[in-house]
């Protein structure tokens, strides 16, 4: 099976590439903007005609799109998340290769949901920010393309390679610094939000399964269980061997977990993100409010996929990378 992987050097793309390379039946070609791609091509500025000629020459059976941007202004997000996908869809329509398209969407397309609920694929999307809007527009382009295509809406990916700027990445870095300096407390904000954390290697397995399946439309990829960020922080502290107190900046007045006094170390974040310098109290960076949990029955029924890797293992891998960082 010839597979063209777009965005192989990104957080999700690297793991998808590893999964595909482990399959001896897959012949993989990586397309991207970097020098280490097999083929250099900028989807945000390249012409559909040029990509069509490449598709006709390589003739892949599956095109997997893991490319995109998570940061930047509305214009950049639209270029890299929406225009790029429009280029892929138009090129596939023009090409004679007949490739199946597996596109990675995200849970930010749904926006905030009711606490305690599980979001199914038929939920009406109401993205809470420009990132979610740009990704939803891309999904709509894929679904309306007439191609043999499936969109995997990935919830909150964690595990090896987690970006240092993400909430869990910054938390791991803060614990590393606290252990290095001998500080006994960490000052944290936003620990009340709950997210469906799914290991990035399980996401890669889902992409592999989707490329081999006949599933179309939208398929949620998550665990089906929301976890409070406070609980994830406690697990990360345990695997890191951090025995200090985790003090919540946005906790009710007079509240300190475990009876500890307010802490002195704040998790570094972008300027203005939180008055105390820690993780944001609200909104959470993905624009999805205080709660998100996936309904994953479609992935089970149509892809034969279930998550295998638990959150503790994912967090242990995040810590391992942070601890090795100089």
């Amino acid at each position: 099976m010839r597979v063209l992987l777009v965005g192989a050097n990104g957080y999700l793309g690297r793991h998808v590439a590893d999964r595909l390379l482990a399959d001896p039946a897959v012949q993989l070609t990586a397309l991207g903007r970097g020098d280490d791609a097999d083929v250099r091509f900028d989807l945000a500025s390249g012409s559909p005609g040029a990509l069509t000629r490449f598709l006709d020459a390589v003739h892949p059976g599956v095109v997997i799109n893991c490319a995109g941007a998570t940061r930047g202004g509305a214009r950049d997000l639209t270029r890299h998340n929406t225009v790029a996908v429009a280029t892929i869809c138009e090129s596939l329509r023009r090409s004679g290769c007949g490739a199946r398209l597996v596109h990675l969407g995200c849970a930010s397309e749904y926006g905030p949901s009711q606490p305690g609920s599980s979001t199914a694929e038929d939920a009406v999307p109401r993205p809470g920010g420009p990132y979610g809007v740009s990704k939803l527009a891309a999904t709509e382009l894929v679904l309306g393309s007439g191609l043999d295509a499936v969109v995997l809406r990935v919830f909150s990916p964690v595990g090896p390679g987690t970006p240092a700027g993400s909430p869990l990445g910054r938390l791991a870095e803060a614990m590393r610094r606290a252990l290095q300096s001998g500080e006994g407390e960490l000052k944290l904000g936003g620990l009340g939000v709950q997210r469906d954390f799914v290991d990035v290697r399980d996401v890669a397995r889902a992409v592999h399964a989707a490329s081999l399946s006949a599933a179309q439309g939208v398929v949620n990829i998550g665990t089906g269980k929301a976890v409070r960020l406070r609980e994830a922080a406690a697990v990360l502290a345990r695997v890191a061997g951090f025995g200090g107190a985790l003090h919540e900046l946005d906790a009710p007045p007079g509240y300190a977990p475990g009876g500890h006094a307010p802490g002195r170390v704040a998790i570094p974040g972008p300027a203005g993100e939180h008055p105390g310098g820690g993780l944001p109290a609200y909104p959470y960076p993905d624009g999805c409010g205080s709660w998100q949990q996936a309904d994953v029955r479609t992935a089970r029924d149509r892809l034969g996929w279930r998550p295998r890797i638990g959150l503790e293992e994912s967090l242990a891998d995040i810590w391992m990378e942070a601890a090795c960082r100089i």
Side-chain angles (χ1 to χ4, degrees):
M1 181 174 66
R2 292 181 179 176
V3 176
L4 177 64
L5 176 59
V6 183
N9 294 319
Y11 172 39
L12 298 179
R14 289 194 300 272
H15 291 279
V16 171
D18 288 344
R19 177 74 187 184
L20 294 173
L21 288 169
D23 183 349
V26 170
Q27 181 182 335
L28 183 66
T29 300
L31 182 147
R33 290 179 290 167
D35 291 336
D36 48 357
D38 296 323
V39 179
R40 290 191 64 184
F41 188 84
D42 188 342
L43 289 167
S45 60
S47 72
L51 184 55
T52 299
R53 289 190 292 274
F54 174 74
L55 291 172
D56 286 338
V58 176
H59 216 78
V62 179
V63 174
I64 298 172
N65 180 38
C66 297
T70 58
R71 294 185 176 186
R75 175 176 291 184
D76 285 339
L77 291 169
T78 300
R79 285 180 64 243
H80 293 294
N81 294 338
T82 311
V83 174
V85 172
T87 299
I88 292 174
C89 291
E90 180 61 22
S91 301
L92 283 169
R93 278 197 298 265
R94 295 184 187 182
S95 171
C97 70
R100 172 171 171 78
L101 175 60
V102 179
H103 171 69
L104 266 63
C106 71
S108 292
E109 298 173 38
Y110 287 122
S113 55
Q114 186 68 28
S117 67
S118 292
T119 304
E121 290 84 357
D122 60 357
V124 177
R126 294 186 177 89
Y131 171 66
V133 169
S134 69
K135 292 293 289 184
L136 177 60
T139 289
E140 294 299 334
L141 285 170
V142 172
L143 297 180
S145 67
L147 299 168
D148 174 14
V150 63
V151 176
L152 304 184
R153 273 196 180 136
V154 180
F155 276 64
S156 298
V158 293
T162 292
S166 69
L168 288 174
R170 294 207 313 274
L171 177 56
E173 176 63 14
M175 285 186 181
R176 184 189 70 81
R177 292 181 180 180
L179 286 167
Q180 206 170 41
S181 63
E183 293 285 353
E185 294 171 333
L186 280 174
K187 189 189 298 182
L188 312 173
L191 296 185
V193 298
Q194 297 180 73
R195 289 292 180 269
D196 190 331
F197 296 109
V198 57
D199 192 273
V200 66
R201 291 157 293 192
D202 281 333
V203 174
R205 286 179 43 248
V207 173
H208 190 196
S211 68
L212 298 172
S213 78
Q216 295 187 336
V218 175
V219 179
N220 287 340
I221 303 299
T223 66
K225 179 182 179 183
V227 175
R228 199 176 301 273
L229 188 56
R230 182 184 304 119
E231 298 170 16
V235 173
L236 188 56
R238 184 170 71 251
V239 299
F242 178 75
L246 303 179
H247 175 67
E248 296 185 51
L249 290 170
D250 53 330
Y255 174 78
H260 295 285
R264 298 186 300 279
V265 181
I267 293 180
E273 191 172 67
H274 189 285
L279 289 175
Y282 187 85
Y284 198 73
D286 58 9
C288 294
S290 63
W291 170 276
Q292 244 195 0
Q293 177 174 282
D295 182 328
V296 293
R297 288 176 293 180
T298 301
R300 179 196 64 201
D301 296 342
R302 300 176 67 188
L303 302 182
W305 175 90
R306 289 180 173 83
R308 294 177 181 172
I309 300 174
L311 182 58
E312 183 163 349
E313 182 177 344
S314 305
L315 293 172
D317 289 329
I318 293 175
W319 170 248
M320 182 68 70
E321 292 182 341
C324 294
R325 195 174 297 127
I326 299 175

